[in-house]
């Protein structure tokens, strides 16, 4: 079967680190073009400044992966759907839930495939954790998600602007795992957001969650963007059955009572593209808003704390 031709819109760090290399080795997809306001291309493929230029010049391309910052995602996805394209969206999907709801309805009205990726969900250790928690119940959860903004978003001022999510940009990855593995709905009870004095989005976030469960499990999360000793991407669980589970390294390693049960290489983006191919084969959309809803609720309920100014 011939590979599907796909264009990548937005050639920032995540596209360069993940999307383009994964497409290069994919059995299902072949890069057709890129859209980049900076004129960044890949492997000599055509480069366009705007999606409209791409659609006019290469109308035969019917798939796009939109990897821009979330602030312009709603506009770009609507343009792609209007142009008859099936669409993959990077995370976070949009800056507001209302925008995402609109895209879901609009894609359905046009009979187009819309796929919202939550890459951290696509690990074998995450699936195994979900199965264990479904069988053994949840007594407590602690999320610790710490990394360096200077490493992962070097010089990207948009992350500090309204709608840029701040430390909740990586934190939403943890929440995507959290919402996938939990055997019951979770809600934000309270949150504390720490903002640099010169920025509009938080650098540190603490969240307390609640649920409707009778046994009232204790659940909390901490996100920090100034961790310079290396990434700390862990979620620790205690089960009602008495076991300790720990998802480490962004969801690629699972320990049960300190014994490694699952340890697999990170192939999140490979699995995302496999899932997109499956959705296209079945002409089916896949969009889940739960992680975005938790972030929105954390902002709604957030107590603000001011911190030292941040400088790159």
């Amino acid at each position: 079967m011939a590979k599907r031709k796909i264009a990548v819109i937005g050639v920032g760090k995540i596209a360069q680190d993940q999307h383009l290399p994964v497409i290069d080795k994919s059995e299902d997809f072949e890069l057709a073009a890129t859209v980049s306001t900076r004129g960044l291309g890949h492997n000599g493929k055509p480069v366009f400044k705007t999606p409209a230029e791409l659609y006019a010049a290469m109308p035969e391309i019917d798939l796009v992966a939109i990897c821009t910052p979330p602030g312009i995602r709603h506009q770009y996805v609507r343009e792609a759907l209007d142009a008859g394209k099936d669409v993959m969206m990077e995370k976070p999907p949009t800056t507001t839930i209302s925008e995402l709801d609109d895209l879901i309805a609009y894609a359905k009205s046009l009979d187009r495939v819309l796929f919202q990726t939550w890459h951290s969900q696509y690990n074998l250790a995450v699936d195994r954790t979900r199965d264990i928690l479904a069988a053994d119940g949840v007594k407590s959860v602690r999320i610790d998600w710490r990394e360096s903004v200077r490493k992962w978003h070097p010089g990207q001022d948009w992350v500090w602007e309204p709608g840029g999510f701040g430390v909740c940009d990586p934190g939403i990855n943890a929440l995507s795992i959290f919402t996938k593995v939990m055997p019951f709905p979770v809600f934000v009870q309270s949150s504390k957001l720490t903002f640099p004095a010169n920025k509009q989005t938080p650098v540190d976030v603490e969240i307390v969650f609640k649920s409707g469960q009778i046994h009232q499990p204790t659940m909390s999360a901490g996100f920090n963007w100034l961790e310079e000793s290396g990434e700390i991407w862990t979620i620790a669980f205690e089960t009602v059955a008495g076991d300790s589970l720990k998802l480490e390294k962004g969801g690629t390693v699972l320990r049960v009572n300190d014994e490694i049960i699952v340890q697999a290489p990170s192939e999140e983006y490979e699995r995302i593209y496999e899932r997109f191919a499956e959705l296209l084969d079945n002409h089916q959309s896949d969009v889940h808003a739960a992680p975005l809803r938790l972030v929105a609720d954390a902002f709604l309920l957030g107590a603000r704390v001011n911190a030292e100014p941040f400088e790159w």
Side-chain angles (χ1 to χ4, degrees):
M1 182 184 298
K3 293 184 179 182
R4 296 179 169 94
K5 294 184 180 296
I6 188 170
V8 172
I9 298 175
V11 189
K13 182 173 174 57
I14 196 63
Q16 295 176 55
D17 290 352
Q18 295 289 352
H19 288 266
L20 295 173
V22 167
I23 293 170
D24 284 345
K25 62 183 181 182
S26 172
E27 296 180 357
D28 299 301
F29 298 95
E30 175 185 345
L31 184 69
T34 59
V35 174
S36 168
T37 56
R38 296 179 293 166
L40 299 178
H42 186 71
N43 288 347
K45 299 296 183 179
V47 184
F48 301 93
K49 290 285 188 180
T50 67
E53 292 177 6
L54 164 68
Y55 304 148
M58 303 180 71
E60 72 277 10
I61 304 305
D62 55 11
L63 306 175
V64 295
I66 299 184
C67 307
T68 64
I72 56 175
R73 193 78 51 75
H74 179 261
Q75 172 192 336
Y76 276 19
V77 173
R78 265 198 163 247
E79 287 180 0
L81 295 171
D82 282 335
K85 316 304 179 187
D86 294 320
V87 180
M88 172 194 286
M89 295 188 289
E90 246 298 340
K91 65 87 203 168
T94 51
T95 52
T96 68
I97 294 167
S98 298
E99 288 179 331
L100 183 56
D101 287 346
D102 176 69
L103 294 180
I104 294 169
Y106 199 54
K108 183 177 181 179
S109 73
L110 296 176
D111 195 29
R112 305 314 315 174
V113 173
L114 182 64
F115 177 33
Q116 170 51 47
T117 64
W118 297 107
H119 61 81
S120 294
Q121 293 184 344
Y122 287 79
N123 283 300
L124 297 177
V126 173
D127 293 337
R128 184 68 178 276
T129 300
R130 177 193 56 196
D131 294 342
I132 293 173
L133 296 180
D136 294 348
V138 179
K139 181 180 178 181
S140 69
V141 184
R142 174 60 188 179
I143 300 170
D144 288 293
W145 220 256
R146 304 171 63 90
E147 65 181 53
S148 169
V149 64
R150 295 181 176 91
K151 174 181 177 179
W152 293 97
H153 290 278
Q156 296 179 18
D157 288 325
W158 66 265
V159 300
W160 296 114
E161 296 299 324
F165 286 78
V167 72
C168 288
D169 179 83
I172 204 170
N173 296 334
L175 298 181
S176 73
I177 296 174
F178 186 42
T179 55
K180 181 175 182 178
V181 303
M182 292 299 285
F184 48 78
V186 294
F187 312 96
V188 175
Q189 177 173 305
S190 63
S191 60
K192 182 176 74 173
L193 313 178
T194 301
F195 290 75
N198 59 340
K199 302 299 180 185
Q200 299 297 316
T201 56
V203 70
D204 186 276
V205 171
E206 282 286 334
I207 306 172
V208 176
F209 301 98
K210 63 181 180 179
S211 73
Q213 299 297 294
I214 295 174
H215 69 289
Q216 289 298 302
T218 58
M219 302 173 290
S220 64
F223 310 147
N224 184 275
W225 233 357
L226 300 178
E227 181 63 55
E228 302 299 342
S229 66
E231 290 74 39
I232 300 171
W233 296 327
T234 63
I235 308 179
F237 306 86
E238 287 183 89
T239 70
V240 174
D243 292 319
S244 296
L245 279 62
K246 194 171 186 181
L247 273 170
E248 301 175 328
K249 299 183 178 180
T252 60
V253 176
L254 172 62
R255 294 179 184 270
V256 178
N257 299 326
D258 290 327
E259 178 185 353
I260 294 178
I261 301 300
V262 179
Q263 185 172 20
S266 178
E267 296 181 338
E268 300 168 357
Y269 281 84
E270 288 84 350
R271 294 184 71 188
I272 282 172
Y273 276 88
E274 290 169 6
R275 175 61 174 157
F276 193 32
E278 179 182 288
L279 292 170
L280 293 169
D281 286 342
N282 296 321
H283 198 70
Q284 180 182 10
S285 292
D286 183 359
V287 184
H288 299 287
L292 180 62
R293 292 182 185 277
L294 287 182
V295 168
D297 289 348
F299 275 86
L300 279 170
L301 292 168
R304 181 182 178 116
V305 177
N306 293 324
E308 295 296 315
F310 174 85
E311 304 296 342
W312 292 109

